[in-house]
Amino acid sequence: MSAIQYIKDIYGAVKSLLIGMKQTGYYFTHHKEIITQNYPEEKQQLAERFRGEVVMTHDSNNEHKCTGCTACELACPNGTIKIVTKFEQTPEGKKKKAIDKFVYHLELCTMCNLCVVACPTDAIKMDQAFEHSVFDRSQLTKVLNKPGSKIMEGVE
Amino acid sequence: MLEEVSAIDQGDMIINIGPQHPSTHGVLQLVVTLNGETIKKVEPHLGFIHRSIEKMCESLTYRQFIYVTSRMDYLSSHINNHGCALCVEKGMQIEIPERAKVIRVLMDELTRIASHELWWGAMAMDLGAFTPFFLSFRERETITDIMEDTCGARLTMNYIVPGGVMVDLHPDFQRKVKAFIKLFREKADQYNELVTGNIIFQSRMKNVGVLSKEDAISYGCTGPTARGSGVNCDIRKLYPYEIYDQLKFDEVIETGCDSFSRYLVRVKEMYQSISIIEQLIDNIPEGDFQAKTKAVLKLPKGEFYTRVETARGELGVYIVSEGATTPYRIKFRSPGFSNLSALNHMAKGGKIGDLVAMMGTLDLVIPDIDR
Amino acid sequence: MTNEELKIKLTEVLPSATFEEGGEWVNLSVAPAEWKPFAHQLRATEGLDFDFLFCVTCVDWKTHLSMVYHLTSTKHRHSIVVKSKLDRTKPEIETVCDIWRTAEFHEREQAELFGVDFLNHPDLRKLILTDDFEGFPLRKDFEDPINMIKL
Amino acid sequence: MGSASMIVLIISAIVFAVGGILVSKLLFKKHNSVVKGEAYECGVPTIGKSWVQFNVGYYLFALIFLIFDVELVFLYPWAVVAKSVGWLALVEIIIFMFILFVGFLYAHKKGALKWQ
Amino acid sequence: MWSLGNITHSIDAWLNESFNPALALLIEFVIVGTMAIELFAVLGLVLVFMERKVSAYMQIRVGPNRVGPKGMFQTFADTIKLLLKEGLTPSGSDKFLFNLAPVIAIIAAMLLLAPIAFAKDFQMWDLNIGVLYVSAISSVAVISILMAGWSSNNKYSLLGAMRSGAQIVSYELSAGLSILAIVVLVGSLKMTDIVASQETGWWLFKGHIPALIAFATFIIAATAETNRAPFDLAEAESELTAGFHTEYSGMRFALFFLAEYVNIFIVCAIGATLFLGGWMPFHIGQWEAFNHVMDFIPSSLWFFGKTFFLIFLIMWFRWTFPRLRIDQLLNLEWKYLLPISMFNLLLATAIAIFGWHF
């Protein structure tokens, strides 16, 4: 190793290190580059398509669109959805199948959206809620149809 | 076990790197035989998170099994899904619309950049520099935001369905991607100053983990790992799928065969991906985003193999179908598994610090290896 | 090289090979006993040069097991699929990990998931499963004692 | 305050360190278990002994250090008087350093400073 | 003018008036001891907080901001957490050495406080071989690391300790040589003399090139001797999980942690004393007015300001650079730093003898 090469090596090394320090020094002095969000105070606006959990839409008359066809149950890869059906008396006296309980296991759900795609009546959709942590796992098993809700008129 | 005892008698030290170790990025166990600081042997022990995805897929329908594959190589989950969907489409002979093809490729490349960004930060952290990790996450975050807008999820998007994509692009997509390209071009050069040019980084990576071209082929390495050894193995070039044959991009090949060339391949690949995105972003054709498919997919009897280029290398999807709604046997040829097998060969004679650098440049994602 | 030319060439190398129709690649079956010398020739023969073993799979056909090797040549860019039927009760086949080193890991994986015995494999310990694991999980008759899906 | 400060500092260091450990001992309740006592090795049992014969690489450096450190100790008194002695001190040290540097180059050529 | 020196003198005088000399001395000892412990505690709290904030701003984060205003009390909360943690002793370890190691680390750090001039006339022990004392005591620290690594019965710890041993003994040479360059210029090992010699200007400015080179080598060697990144091989967390203190938990870990930070403070304080004039205000030659304004700032502020500047520099290194490999680390010392600092010493001697400095 010649002496000139030796000095050149040192010069190059020091230069590359100083360039690196310039970068971190830039960020140290430019506080507006900070990207931290203080989570509970500053909540990020979630995307409208964000998939947080499955919900069933109810209108103001407490009516939903679910016919209990179990398309979503079949589409689900994890066995997240269990539909319990019952027979209801229609005004004409006919017996009609309707849902009793739409059981949704949030703890098994991977938010893959396949159930929403499979639903023929758009009864369920994905909601943006993401703060799902609870102390007891059983609270993650939800019944999506609200108590006393009925199927909407005209949905087959 | 006997072998290990005899090694100890020779004054060697056997040390476990993993399963709970900061540099294995997951639960990988490496049993390392050391002589002083010099590595004599590295023996990977896998399976800490083996979920037998192949067995699981045997009981899922062709629509359902795609989402499971997001959990394999979770950093390029979209590309995994892509490979699976391609295999199903090949079997069903579904022709997918142009728009869906372009969207898929765009998302593939965004995923690749996101994956490489994370690798870049993690790699720097393996070598002891913390700051690049946070910096790289900023760009990655921008990409995941774009993903979230369109796909509804940030990491395991499950955006691809057989026949196209699940939903159409978000109206903001083009604007945001363009903003990202601008940000990326600006910041990536800074990062090269901070990391690539740094003398310590270079000396840590140069002539470390040398894997010759022949060895790379013999060990079945693919992706940037093999391309760093001068093997041209980019599936996008060799066996183009979707619209890759119409795009202008270079297959990045470095012939240094060491960690630094693997590093350079990944860094340069990010620029190539950006150029692919630039070519496509203004030319997304109008039309359907999904082909009409039957409600229940049934692959004909036979065997189907497709491969895609994930961020880590070649992902092969091999479906054996018996004509039912579920695959009879499915095999994922994951890139990480083969790449890992070369680790012992590379690590011999290096130091512990080198091992960390090597694992960093192999870009191991443990669920991808374990499946 | 087109598939037809490849077939002719392969028949020269191994006359007893049987070809399967369909698929994008040449599909051929060999007997397990013939596999090892055939593999050597695949790797070494001029014009074939299969140097890249990219996938090693085993399929459980309930009556028998079948090993599937996907090979390609980085020089000529042609690929073949080699299959070999194994006896289900005593599946044995020679290892090829001295020809393609990637086979070492892939064979270990298939060995523990399907119970295939790769003869002369240098290190056929369990790679993924625990050392005391019983059974071969990817076989069709394997019943998992803990099944998460059937809650 | 003189050399007594050493004693004061040693005592206060011991008070600080031992006191800290004792205070923390009072504050937690000890739970004994075998697993807690195991050496940490990424969550798997240790293979072999940890107290092993170690590679000589580290010790070579310690030896060379010894030689140079003695030299360094010689330099301290010289450094104090160098200015008052004048140019003779410079000549002396050049000779001293030259001999040392030759030794250093010899060690370097022999590969003693190379991590094997 | 308000100064720490006057306060100590008046306390001393008052004590001697009120009590008999022996008791007064004892009370002084107690005061000094308590102050040393307090300095330790405060330094630990401040430096850890500073490190967190510096790293946060360099990494586009805000850092701790929950406990207290702007997260000021975060380290305080952490200390309480560490106090409440159970200190485990691995069953296979050498228990005596294992418990002794953190105490030694603290003693070594504490002893180094003695010759440091914190302000004008504010120094515990102005011994005439101050610099030599510092070099001597600072090598004790490596013993505690070796002890901790060896006694833990853990392979990571052992590797970390061995690395640290090789590293610290190597870097002590160039640290010593760079200090010697200043000693030659001053002609004394006494801290007060060194500070006094810089009244007309700091050695960094008036010592020409040799002082600059010596300063650079000193900073590098100081970073290495305190086991800081990029030389933190003894605790390289991506290789050895936590290196020599892998097995330490609770208060024993806290003591190591504290000793590390206090050591940083001390080497920076020594660096500030040698190269930046210690508590001496910034003076420029004949500018009387300017010098007078500078004199108005208390000497303790000057000292702490310079020290914290050097600490910031060392932190800046840590959050920018990756870690070196062990052989590269030793290469750097034996191939570059040692020959350079030897040559530099000759240069400094020539400058000192022929009086070429300002």
Side-chain angles (χ1 to χ4, degrees), chain B residues 181-336:
Chain B
I181 292 171
K182 195 161 159 278
L183 178 81
F184 179 87
R185 290 236 183 250
E186 188 184 312
K187 298 294 178 191
D189 294 343
Q190 281 185 17
Y191 296 168
N192 281 338
E193 276 188 357
L194 178 61
V195 176
T196 316
N198 190 304
I199 181 86
I200 305 178
F201 264 108
Q202 290 193 3
S203 54
R204 277 297 297 276
M205 286 193 282
K206 274 183 183 161
N207 296 320
V208 162
V210 175
L211 185 71
S212 69
K213 186 175 177 179
E214 286 71 35
D215 285 332
I217 294 171
S218 181
Y219 277 110
C221 295
T222 46
T225 310
R227 287 199 284 280
S229 296
V231 185
N232 60 331
C233 57
D234 196 331
I235 305 297
R236 295 174 292 174
K237 280 275 182 203
L238 295 175
Y239 312 100
Y241 48 97
E242 307 290 17
I243 49 160
Y244 275 115
D245 46 350
Q246 300 157 27
L247 293 169
K248 277 200 228 48
F249 67 101
D250 296 328
E251 181 180 356
V252 186
I253 291 176
E254 292 282 330
T255 48
C257 302
D258 54 3
S259 287
F260 191 61
S261 14
R262 291 193 281 275
Y263 171 88
L264 281 182
V265 168
R266 289 207 172 83
V267 170
K268 287 180 183 168
E269 257 185 24
M270 284 197 256
Y271 286 96
Q272 291 300 327
S273 294
I274 280 287
S275 99
I276 292 177
I277 294 170
E278 274 174 339
Q279 288 170 44
L280 290 177
I281 190 66
D282 285 322
N283 307 315
I284 305 174
E286 294 297 316
D288 290 337
F289 57 87
Q290 206 174 1
K292 289 266 177 292
T293 48
K294 287 181 207 135
V296 179
L297 299 177
K298 271 186 189 169
L299 253 67
K301 204 172 152 134
E303 291 164 13
F304 308 97
Y305 191 98
T306 51
R307 31 188 168 179
V308 285
E309 178 79 15
T310 74
R312 261 144 219 89
E314 171 185 335
L315 173 81
V317 182
Y318 178 56
I319 296 181
V320 180
S321 169
E322 282 283 81
T325 53
T326 57
Y328 184 76
R329 162 94 168 106
I330 189 156
K331 158 93 183 172
F332 298 110
R333 181 250 183 251
S334 65

Side-chain angles (χ1 to χ4, degrees), chain B residues 55 58 318 320 322 327-330, chain C residues 57-68 84 86-89 91 110 113-116 136-142:
Chain B
K55 182 88 174 176
E58 286 174 15
Y318 178 56
V320 180
E322 282 283 81
Y328 184 76
R329 162 94 168 106
I330 189 156
Chain C
T57 322
C58 187
V59 185
D60 181 9
W61 290 106
K62 286 175 185 154
T63 52
H64 62 273
L65 296 176
S66 141
M67 284 301 297
V68 185
S84 184
L86 307 181
D87 184 18
R88 201 163 183 278
T89 49
Q110 300 307 320
L113 296 179
F114 283 94
V116 182
F136 306 111
L138 278 190
R139 286 200 184 184
K140 289 284 172 189
D141 54 3
F142 180 79

Side-chain angles (χ1 to χ4, degrees), chain E residues 266-286:
Chain E
I266 287 163
V267 293
C268 290
I270 288 161
T273 313
L274 291 174
F275 297 96
L276 303 176
W279 50 261
M280 199 59 86
F282 184 64
H283 285 174
I284 299 176
Q286 305 303 320

